[in-house]
Amino acid sequence: MVSLRPGGIYTKAQLQKELETLATCGMFEKVDMEGKTNPDETLGLTISFTESTWQQADRFRCINVGLMAQSKPIEMDPDMTDKEKLEYYKSQEKDYKRRIERSRPCLLPMQVHREVLQMLRDQGKVSARLLQKIRDRVQRWYHDERYACAQVVNFGNLNTKEVVCEVVEGDITQLVIQFQDKLGNVVEGNTQLPVVRRELPRQLRQGNVFNIEAGKQALRNVNSLGKFNSKRGPRSHPKGKTWCFFSRKT
Protein backbone atom coordinates (compact mmCIF):
# COMPACT_ATOMS: atom_id res chain seq x y z
CA MET A 1 0.00 0.00 0.00
CA VAL A 2 3.01 2.30 0.34
CA SER A 3 3.57 4.39 -2.79
CA LEU A 4 7.00 5.69 -1.76
CA ARG A 5 9.90 4.06 -3.62
CA PRO A 6 13.68 3.94 -2.95
CA GLY A 7 15.49 6.62 -4.95
CA GLY A 8 12.41 8.81 -5.23
CA ILE A 9 12.36 12.51 -4.39
CA TYR A 10 9.52 13.59 -2.08
CA THR A 11 8.46 16.78 -0.34
CA LYS A 12 7.47 16.98 3.31
CA ALA A 13 3.85 17.44 2.22
CA GLN A 14 4.00 14.23 0.17
CA LEU A 15 5.40 12.27 3.12
CA GLN A 16 2.67 13.65 5.37
CA LYS A 17 0.02 12.72 2.79
CA GLU A 18 1.40 9.17 2.62
CA LEU A 19 1.17 8.87 6.40
CA GLU A 20 -2.41 10.17 6.43
CA THR A 21 -3.44 7.74 3.67
CA LEU A 22 -2.08 4.76 5.60
CA ALA A 23 -3.56 5.95 8.90
CA THR A 24 -7.08 6.39 7.46
CA CYS A 25 -7.30 3.33 5.18
CA GLY A 26 -8.93 1.23 7.93
CA MET A 27 -6.26 -1.48 7.88
CA PHE A 28 -4.13 -0.18 10.74
CA GLU A 29 -4.81 0.93 14.28
CA LYS A 30 -1.65 3.01 14.41
CA VAL A 31 0.93 4.11 11.82
CA ASP A 32 4.24 5.90 12.45
CA MET A 33 6.86 7.22 10.03
CA GLU A 34 10.41 7.92 11.18
CA GLY A 35 13.11 9.49 9.02
CA LYS A 36 16.90 9.31 9.49
CA THR A 37 19.49 11.16 7.43
CA ASN A 38 22.15 8.87 5.94
CA PRO A 39 25.86 9.82 5.53
CA ASP A 40 25.27 10.42 1.78
CA GLU A 41 22.50 12.92 2.72
CA THR A 42 19.70 10.64 1.52
CA LEU A 43 16.83 9.91 3.86
CA GLY A 44 16.09 6.50 5.33
CA LEU A 45 12.40 6.03 6.18
CA THR A 46 10.95 3.48 8.58
CA ILE A 47 7.18 2.96 8.54
CA SER A 48 5.87 0.99 11.52
CA PHE A 49 2.26 0.02 12.10
CA THR A 50 -0.10 -1.87 14.36
CA GLU A 51 -2.41 -4.04 12.28
CA SER A 52 -6.16 -3.85 12.86
CA THR A 53 -7.86 -7.06 13.98
CA TRP A 54 -11.47 -8.12 14.45
CA GLN A 55 -13.26 -11.08 16.02
CA GLN A 56 -13.07 -14.54 14.49
CA ALA A 57 -15.47 -15.17 11.59
CA ASP A 58 -16.86 -18.50 10.44
CA ARG A 59 -18.94 -17.40 7.42
CA PHE A 60 -18.14 -15.75 4.10
CA ARG A 61 -20.37 -14.05 1.57
CA CYS A 62 -19.64 -12.30 -1.72
CA ILE A 63 -22.15 -9.74 -3.03
CA ASN A 64 -22.34 -7.65 -6.19
CA VAL A 65 -22.75 -3.96 -5.28
CA GLY A 66 -22.00 -2.56 -8.73
CA LEU A 67 -25.33 -0.75 -9.05
CA MET A 68 -25.45 0.38 -5.40
CA ALA A 69 -23.88 3.33 -3.63
CA GLN A 70 -20.64 2.32 -1.90
CA SER A 71 -20.90 2.01 1.86
CA LYS A 72 -18.73 4.23 4.00
CA PRO A 73 -17.51 3.08 7.42
CA ILE A 74 -18.57 5.30 10.33
CA GLU A 75 -15.86 6.22 12.80
CA MET A 76 -16.56 5.05 16.33
CA ASP A 77 -15.99 7.65 19.03
CA PRO A 78 -13.27 6.29 21.38
CA ASP A 79 -15.01 8.03 24.32
CA MET A 80 -18.21 5.99 23.95
CA THR A 81 -19.56 4.20 27.00
CA ASP A 82 -20.05 0.42 26.88
CA LYS A 83 -23.77 0.94 26.40
CA GLU A 84 -23.19 3.40 23.53
CA LYS A 85 -20.74 0.98 21.90
CA LEU A 86 -23.33 -1.80 22.06
CA GLU A 87 -25.94 0.44 20.45
CA TYR A 88 -23.38 1.44 17.81
CA TYR A 89 -22.66 -2.20 16.91
CA LYS A 90 -26.37 -3.06 16.77
CA SER A 91 -27.04 -0.09 14.50
CA GLN A 92 -24.16 -1.04 12.21
CA GLU A 93 -25.36 -4.61 11.96
CA LYS A 94 -28.95 -3.54 11.24
CA ASP A 95 -27.87 -1.12 8.51
CA TYR A 96 -25.62 -3.68 6.90
CA LYS A 97 -28.29 -6.39 6.89
CA ARG A 98 -30.50 -4.01 4.92
CA ARG A 99 -27.66 -3.39 2.47
CA ILE A 100 -27.09 -7.12 1.97
CA GLU A 101 -30.81 -7.68 1.32
CA ARG A 102 -30.70 -5.10 -1.50
CA SER A 103 -27.56 -6.57 -3.10
CA ARG A 104 -27.28 -9.34 -5.69
CA PRO A 105 -25.28 -12.59 -5.49
CA CYS A 106 -21.91 -12.44 -7.20
CA LEU A 107 -20.49 -14.81 -9.83
CA LEU A 108 -17.82 -16.22 -7.52
CA PRO A 109 -18.01 -20.06 -7.59
CA MET A 110 -18.36 -22.26 -4.49
CA GLN A 111 -14.82 -23.53 -4.91
CA VAL A 112 -13.41 -20.06 -4.16
CA HIS A 113 -15.93 -19.63 -1.32
CA ARG A 114 -14.57 -22.80 0.27
CA GLU A 115 -10.98 -21.59 -0.14
CA VAL A 116 -11.81 -18.33 1.66
CA LEU A 117 -13.63 -20.20 4.45
CA GLN A 118 -10.50 -22.31 4.94
CA MET A 119 -8.45 -19.10 5.22
CA LEU A 120 -10.82 -17.89 7.96
CA ARG A 121 -10.53 -21.19 9.86
CA ASP A 122 -6.74 -21.25 9.62
CA GLN A 123 -6.28 -17.61 10.65
CA GLY A 124 -8.48 -17.28 13.73
CA LYS A 125 -9.09 -13.56 14.21
CA VAL A 126 -9.78 -11.52 11.10
CA SER A 127 -6.86 -9.22 10.36
CA ALA A 128 -6.05 -6.59 7.76
CA ARG A 129 -3.53 -8.96 6.19
CA LEU A 130 -6.16 -11.71 5.90
CA LEU A 131 -8.60 -9.33 4.23
CA GLN A 132 -5.86 -8.44 1.75
CA LYS A 133 -5.37 -12.16 0.95
CA ILE A 134 -9.12 -12.64 0.49
CA ARG A 135 -9.34 -9.61 -1.78
CA ASP A 136 -6.44 -10.84 -3.91
CA ARG A 137 -7.94 -14.34 -4.24
CA VAL A 138 -11.39 -13.04 -5.22
CA GLN A 139 -10.02 -10.56 -7.75
CA ARG A 140 -7.69 -13.16 -9.23
CA TRP A 141 -10.65 -15.42 -10.03
CA TYR A 142 -12.52 -12.61 -11.79
CA HIS A 143 -9.51 -11.56 -13.82
CA ASP A 144 -8.61 -15.16 -14.69
CA GLU A 145 -12.17 -15.57 -16.00
CA ARG A 146 -11.72 -12.36 -18.03
CA TYR A 147 -14.12 -10.15 -16.08
CA ALA A 148 -11.81 -7.21 -16.64
CA CYS A 149 -13.81 -4.57 -14.74
CA ALA A 150 -14.40 -6.54 -11.53
CA GLN A 151 -12.80 -5.38 -8.29
CA VAL A 152 -13.29 -5.75 -4.55
CA VAL A 153 -14.30 -2.35 -3.18
CA ASN A 154 -15.09 -3.01 0.47
CA PHE A 155 -15.56 -5.52 3.27
CA GLY A 156 -18.77 -5.22 5.22
CA ASN A 157 -19.38 -4.88 8.93
CA LEU A 158 -16.36 -6.66 10.43
CA ASN A 159 -17.88 -6.70 13.91
CA THR A 160 -19.91 -9.82 13.05
CA LYS A 161 -19.12 -13.50 12.52
CA GLU A 162 -19.50 -13.15 8.75
CA VAL A 163 -17.00 -11.57 6.34
CA VAL A 164 -18.93 -9.92 3.49
CA CYS A 165 -16.90 -9.13 0.40
CA GLU A 166 -18.38 -6.34 -1.73
CA VAL A 167 -17.51 -6.61 -5.41
CA VAL A 168 -18.19 -4.29 -8.33
CA GLU A 169 -18.41 -6.88 -11.11
CA GLY A 170 -18.84 -4.55 -14.09
CA ASP A 171 -22.57 -4.70 -14.85
CA ILE A 172 -23.59 -3.60 -18.34
CA THR A 173 -26.38 -1.04 -18.02
CA GLN A 174 -26.46 0.11 -21.66
CA LEU A 175 -25.04 -0.96 -25.04
CA VAL A 176 -24.05 1.89 -27.37
CA ILE A 177 -23.05 1.32 -31.02
CA GLN A 178 -21.48 4.23 -32.92
CA PHE A 179 -20.14 4.63 -36.45
CA GLN A 180 -17.07 6.82 -37.01
CA ASP A 181 -15.27 8.27 -39.99
CA LYS A 182 -11.51 7.97 -40.51
CA LEU A 183 -10.91 10.95 -38.21
CA GLY A 184 -12.88 9.40 -35.35
CA ASN A 185 -15.93 11.64 -35.74
CA VAL A 186 -19.31 10.07 -35.01
CA VAL A 187 -21.27 9.70 -38.27
CA GLU A 188 -24.36 7.95 -39.59
CA GLY A 189 -23.53 4.39 -40.62
CA ASN A 190 -24.50 2.67 -43.84
CA THR A 191 -25.22 -0.60 -42.01
CA GLN A 192 -28.45 -1.22 -40.14
CA LEU A 193 -27.92 -1.51 -36.38
CA PRO A 194 -29.79 -4.86 -36.13
CA VAL A 195 -27.15 -6.33 -38.48
CA VAL A 196 -24.43 -5.35 -36.01
CA ARG A 197 -26.40 -6.27 -32.89
CA ARG A 198 -27.06 -9.83 -34.04
CA GLU A 199 -23.30 -10.42 -34.20
CA LEU A 200 -22.78 -9.43 -30.55
CA PRO A 201 -22.74 -12.27 -27.98
CA ARG A 202 -25.61 -12.38 -25.49
CA GLN A 203 -23.09 -11.78 -22.71
CA LEU A 204 -22.67 -8.19 -23.92
CA ARG A 205 -26.33 -7.35 -23.49
CA GLN A 206 -27.70 -5.09 -20.76
CA GLY A 207 -27.92 -6.82 -17.38
CA ASN A 208 -24.86 -9.04 -17.87
CA VAL A 209 -21.33 -8.59 -16.52
CA PHE A 210 -18.75 -7.30 -18.99
CA ASN A 211 -16.33 -10.01 -20.11
CA ILE A 212 -13.33 -9.22 -22.30
CA GLU A 213 -13.54 -12.57 -24.11
CA ALA A 214 -17.10 -11.82 -25.16
CA GLY A 215 -15.81 -8.49 -26.48
CA LYS A 216 -13.15 -10.24 -28.56
CA GLN A 217 -15.75 -12.67 -29.91
CA ALA A 218 -17.94 -9.72 -30.93
CA LEU A 219 -14.98 -8.19 -32.76
CA ARG A 220 -14.34 -11.44 -34.65
CA ASN A 221 -18.04 -11.75 -35.55
CA VAL A 222 -18.24 -8.18 -36.85
CA ASN A 223 -14.95 -8.60 -38.75
CA SER A 224 -16.50 -11.50 -40.63
CA LEU A 225 -19.20 -9.20 -42.06
CA GLY A 226 -16.64 -7.36 -44.20
CA LYS A 227 -18.63 -4.14 -43.91
CA PHE A 228 -16.16 -1.99 -41.94
CA ASN A 229 -12.65 -0.66 -42.48
CA SER A 230 -11.71 -0.99 -38.80
CA LYS A 231 -13.37 -1.86 -35.50
CA ARG A 232 -12.72 -1.00 -31.88
CA GLY A 233 -14.71 -2.66 -29.23
CA PRO A 234 -16.65 -3.58 -27.39
CA ARG A 235 -15.03 -1.91 -24.42
CA SER A 236 -16.35 -0.94 -21.01
CA HIS A 237 -17.25 2.52 -19.77
CA PRO A 238 -16.95 3.69 -16.10
CA LYS A 239 -20.72 4.25 -15.89
CA GLY A 240 -21.55 0.67 -16.85
CA LYS A 241 -22.02 1.26 -20.57
CA THR A 242 -20.47 -0.92 -23.26
CA TRP A 243 -19.28 0.97 -26.34
CA CYS A 244 -18.77 -0.48 -29.83
CA PHE A 245 -17.04 1.68 -32.46
CA PHE A 246 -17.04 0.89 -36.21
CA SER A 247 -15.42 2.81 -39.09
CA ARG A 248 -17.75 2.64 -42.06
CA LYS A 249 -16.62 1.74 -45.54
CA THR A 250 -16.95 4.59 -48.04
Side-chain angles (χ1 to χ4, degrees):
M1 295 181 65
V2 179
S3 65
L4 305 176
R5 294 292 178 264
I9 299 175
Y10 303 98
T11 65
K12 183 178 179 181
Q14 287 173 312
L15 296 178
Q16 184 64 34
K17 179 66 175 176
E18 184 82 5
L19 184 60
E20 290 175 3
T21 300
L22 292 170
T24 58
C25 72
M27 292 291 184
F28 312 114
E29 291 183 7
K30 181 181 180 183
V31 182
D32 289 315
M33 181 184 293
E34 183 180 356
K36 182 180 179 181
T37 305
N38 299 320
D40 61 358
E41 297 186 354
T42 60
L43 185 67
L45 282 179
T46 301
I47 299 176
S48 56
F49 60 89
T50 302
E51 192 176 31
S52 298
T53 57
W54 297 269
Q55 65 175 312
Q56 186 171 356
D58 54 19
R59 299 188 304 278
F60 174 71
R61 187 187 308 205
C62 181
I63 59 176
N64 180 2
V65 296
L67 301 180
M68 300 171 62
Q70 291 192 25
S71 60
K72 295 182 179 179
I74 302 173
E75 293 280 336
M76 184 173 67
D77 189 343
D79 297 326
M80 281 183 177
T81 64
D82 290 342
K83 183 178 179 181
E84 288 172 334
K85 287 180 182 178
L86 183 61
E87 290 300 319
Y88 166 83
Y89 290 135
K90 286 182 178 179
S91 175
Q92 260 200 333
E93 189 171 357
K94 187 177 179 181
D95 290 344
Y96 202 73
K97 280 182 178 178
R98 282 199 296 264
R99 179 173 175 80
I100 290 175
E101 289 169 0
R102 295 196 302 269
S103 68
R104 292 165 297 142
C106 67
L107 298 173
L108 201 69
M110 283 306 301
Q111 176 190 348
V112 181
H113 274 259
R114 287 192 289 268
E115 288 180 31
V116 173
L117 281 173
Q118 190 60 50
M119 290 182 192
L120 293 172
R121 295 189 192 103
D122 294 343
Q123 180 73 24
K125 281 190 174 182
V126 175
S127 67
R129 194 168 309 185
L130 176 61
L131 295 178
Q132 188 88 356
K133 285 177 64 178
I134 294 172
R135 186 201 70 176
D136 291 346
R137 179 64 188 98
V138 170
Q139 288 190 164
R140 187 169 76 250
W141 180 84
Y142 276 100
H143 296 166
D144 286 347
E145 296 297 318
R146 312 301 285 166
Y147 295 103
C149 300
Q151 65 180 65
V152 176
V153 294
N154 187 42
F155 286 97
N157 181 8
L158 294 168
N159 296 308
T160 68
K161 301 285 284 183
E162 181 178 53
V163 171
V164 180
C165 181
E166 296 187 2
V167 181
V168 171
E169 292 187 322
D171 298 279
I172 299 173
T173 58
Q174 186 179 359
L175 176 66
V176 179
I177 298 175
Q178 291 182 348
F179 298 93
Q180 298 178 345
D181 61 19
K182 292 181 178 179
L183 298 177
N185 300 311
V186 177
V187 295
E188 186 175 346
N190 298 324
T191 305
Q192 295 293 317
L193 287 181
V195 175
V196 177
R197 288 183 182 276
R198 74 186 181 197
E199 299 299 327
L200 304 181
R202 294 178 61 88
Q203 197 169 359
L204 291 179
R205 294 181 183 178
Q206 180 178 336
N208 292 317
V209 176
F210 179 76
N211 186 285
I212 197 69
E213 285 303 319
K216 290 179 180 179
Q217 182 61 52
L219 192 57
R220 289 191 291 268
N221 293 351
V222 173
N223 267 327
S224 68
L225 294 174
K227 293 179 176 291
F228 307 101
N229 286 330
S230 62
K231 302 93 185 167
R232 286 194 299 118
R235 61 185 179 87
S236 62
H237 183 278
K239 292 186 178 180
K241 297 179 181 178
T242 297
W243 292 87
C244 302
F245 299 96
F246 306 99
S247 295
R248 67 179 182 182
K249 278 191 173 179
T250 55

